[in-house]
Amino acid sequence: MKTLALCMIVKNEEAVLDRCLQCVQHIVDEIIIVDTGSIDRTVEIAKKYTNKIYHFIWQNDFATARNFSFSKATADYILWLDADDILLPEEQAKLLLLKEGFNGQVDCYFLKYDMNIADENQGSFYFYRERIVKNNQNFFWQGVVHEFLVIYGNIMQLDITITHQKNTQNLKPNYRNLLCYCQKFAKIGTASARDIYYFARELIDNKLYSLAISFLKYFLTLKSGWKEDKICACLLLSNAYLEMHAEKKALNALYKSFAYTSFRPEICCAIGNIFLNNLQYNNAIFWYNLAISSENEGKKSVFYCQDYATFIPYMQLCVCYDRLNNIEKSYFYNMLAGKYKPNHKDYLHNKAYFEKILNCKGEIK
């Protein structure tokens, strides 16, 4: 049987590391932990699972740390995870079957990455990432932040899901990634389209909206850059304008996305929200219905979230028709939303509201 190594870089992950390692310890043959300066119990927890723990001086470069972790692996294949990733039991079984079937012919396996939020009241989306690679191919990481593996050869995409469950204790503003980018820009004097896009995302995460707008607008003028990033940039630009109370510019930023794609559910919902906030209910209804009918187009997206074609527009249509005093239609759309998220607090709140007012009218027995 081919062997599998788990390679991780960590820092101050005591809240989630144990959970991550528990779910894969019985599958992998070696665990390599590269600690980049923890001051909590991270290293102590790691020692329960492996003696291959390395202390790495942080260099404001995630790719460098990842490459160091890969250099310590001796197994035939390498799996990488972040500390706030897990594999649910059924996915663990799938991964074990995959490992047992390794024949050395596949160079890289892409696995499904579910950006899951355990609370049903919030949304999630998924995409595929390069997760398992052959060790002797010398694949390497690139990018100081939002790093990616440079791969080639025989590639296979599998429906084995890694679930991201973010450590909610660590959601404070963090300028670390901005520092990484600024240091890189100062060192090489230039930036790729990808770096500009992700730098703008970091600016938004740190609420530096005005500066983010400048970088996003510049990114959208570049001929280079991934189409999916261009679409996301339009949505981010709109969000930044909304934070600056510039609704007309926010709407135009969303319309700009149609230069790169046909109607995407998340874009349609964002447009609908602007009209809803401006009490233009019929316009909002048009865009929410378009979001629902664009579900197949949404599935073509690399970053897919079903909620934008189902639960979210149904809930918003419920609001629109309620504001238009069309209680029957409002009730109808809330019931459709409930089919997707029957425990969601907003659906349940609306359900109780309708039961009360419709009972008063004698329309629910």
Side-chain angles (χ1 to χ4, degrees):
M1 184 187 298
K2 300 290 185 181
T3 53
L4 179 64
L6 169 65
C7 289
M8 300 179 65
I9 61 172
V10 297
K11 182 180 180 181
N12 296 332
E13 301 288 2
E14 65 176 11
V16 292
L17 183 60
D18 198 54
R19 179 188 69 185
C20 174
L21 293 177
Q22 277 185 7
C23 72
V24 292
Q25 63 172 330
H26 60 293
I27 301 172
V28 299
D29 300 286
E30 63 177 343
I31 297 175
I32 293 154
I33 303 291
V34 172
D35 185 78
T36 62
S38 295
I39 57 174
D40 63 0
R41 295 180 54 252
T42 293
V43 173
E44 179 185 340
I45 292 168
K47 286 179 179 177
K48 293 163 48 179
Y49 298 92
T50 182
N51 59 0
K52 295 184 177 182
I53 300 171
Y54 301 90
H55 298 277
F56 185 79
I57 297 174
W58 179 241
Q59 300 174 29
N60 288 331
D61 189 323
F62 281 88
T64 299
R66 296 262 191 215
N67 285 328
F68 178 78
S69 73
F70 272 34
S71 74
K72 299 301 179 181
T74 62
D76 300 305
Y77 281 87
I78 299 173
L79 162 73
W80 69 272
L81 294 173
D82 288 327
D84 47 8
D85 293 337
I86 64 166
L87 279 88
L88 298 173
E90 58 269 29
E91 307 305 322
Q92 295 173 32
K94 292 179 187 177
L95 181 59
L96 188 56
L97 281 174
L98 172 65
K99 180 194 168 189
E100 291 172 350
F102 280 155
N103 57 18
Q105 295 180 6
V106 178
D107 299 299
C108 175
Y109 294 94
F110 274 67
L111 306 186
K112 188 175 180 179
Y113 197 28
D114 188 351
M115 303 296 286
N116 176 274
I117 301 172
D119 185 356
E120 192 185 44
N121 292 318
Q122 301 186 51
S124 63
F125 67 95
Y126 70 82
F127 55 98
Y128 285 84
R129 284 216 66 174
E130 66 286 52
R131 280 292 180 172
I132 301 175
V133 294
K134 194 184 293 185
N135 193 9
N136 64 5
Q137 297 297 88
N138 296 317
F139 295 131
F140 64 94
W141 289 90
Q142 187 171 306
V144 294
V145 183
H146 301 289
E147 65 281 11
F148 61 96
L149 266 168
V150 179
I151 58 171
Y152 56 86
N154 188 14
I155 297 169
M156 182 177 291
Q157 180 174 294
L158 300 174
D159 267 337
I160 299 175
T161 302
I162 294 171
T163 301
H164 181 74
Q165 290 190 340
K166 195 168 184 65
N167 178 10
T168 55
Q169 298 177 15
N170 258 342
L171 294 182
K172 299 177 182 177
N174 188 339
Y175 297 103
R176 176 199 60 190
N177 291 356
L178 287 176
L179 177 62
C180 293
Y181 276 125
C182 289
Q183 181 175 307
K184 177 182 179 180
F185 298 159
K187 183 178 180 180
I188 65 176
T190 186
S192 67
R194 186 178 189 276
D195 282 342
I196 292 168
Y197 167 67
Y198 278 104
F199 181 64
R201 282 181 48 169
E202 293 296 334
L203 290 169
I204 287 178
D205 287 346
N206 287 280
K207 304 185 186 306
L208 300 170
Y209 301 115
S210 181
L211 193 56
I213 287 169
S214 297
F215 277 90
L216 287 168
K217 288 172 66 178
Y218 175 61
F219 171 69
L220 289 170
T221 67
L222 299 175
K223 293 183 179 179
S224 57
W226 188 28
K227 185 188 81 168
E228 292 294 330
D229 286 345
K230 299 281 187 179
I231 298 166
C232 291
C234 293
L235 190 55
L236 290 171
L237 182 59
S238 176
N239 292 340
Y241 275 131
L242 288 175
E243 293 289 346
M244 303 289 288
H245 308 290
E247 287 193 343
K248 187 173 292 186
K249 290 182 177 179
L251 196 56
N252 286 334
L254 294 169
Y255 291 150
K256 191 175 181 65
S257 71
F258 301 137
Y260 308 102
T261 182
S262 55
F263 301 116
R264 292 277 180 92
E266 64 273 22
I267 298 292
C268 294
C269 283
I271 295 172
N273 291 342
I274 293 176
F275 283 119
L276 175 58
N277 290 337
N278 283 281
L279 311 184
Q280 296 176 307
Y281 302 122
N282 288 319
N283 286 342
I285 286 169
F286 171 83
W287 285 101
Y288 292 133
N289 278 318
L290 193 54
I292 294 166
S293 64
S294 301
E295 183 174 12
N296 287 335
E297 185 64 29
K299 290 177 179 178
K300 298 176 185 177
S301 170
V302 174
F303 309 103
Y304 177 60
C305 177
Q306 185 188 38
D307 288 354
Y308 287 110
T310 54
F311 180 79
I312 292 172
Y314 285 139
M315 288 296 294
Q316 297 298 69
L317 285 167
C318 169
V319 173
C320 289
Y321 281 111
D322 180 67
R323 301 274 178 84
L324 292 170
N325 295 315
N326 190 332
I327 300 303
E328 287 74 18
K329 271 198 169 181
S330 181
Y331 171 78
F332 171 74
Y333 282 111
N334 189 64
M335 294 303 292
L336 287 179
K339 291 180 179 180
Y340 291 91
K341 292 193 174 186
N343 298 315
H344 194 283
K345 62 181 181 181
D346 292 338
Y347 160 71
L348 294 173
H349 172 83
N350 291 349
K351 185 171 181 286
Y353 162 75
F354 287 120
E355 287 174 350
K356 181 178 179 180
I357 63 172
L358 292 177
N359 266 329
C360 291
K361 291 184 176 182
E363 295 180 27
I364 293 181
K365 296 181 180 180

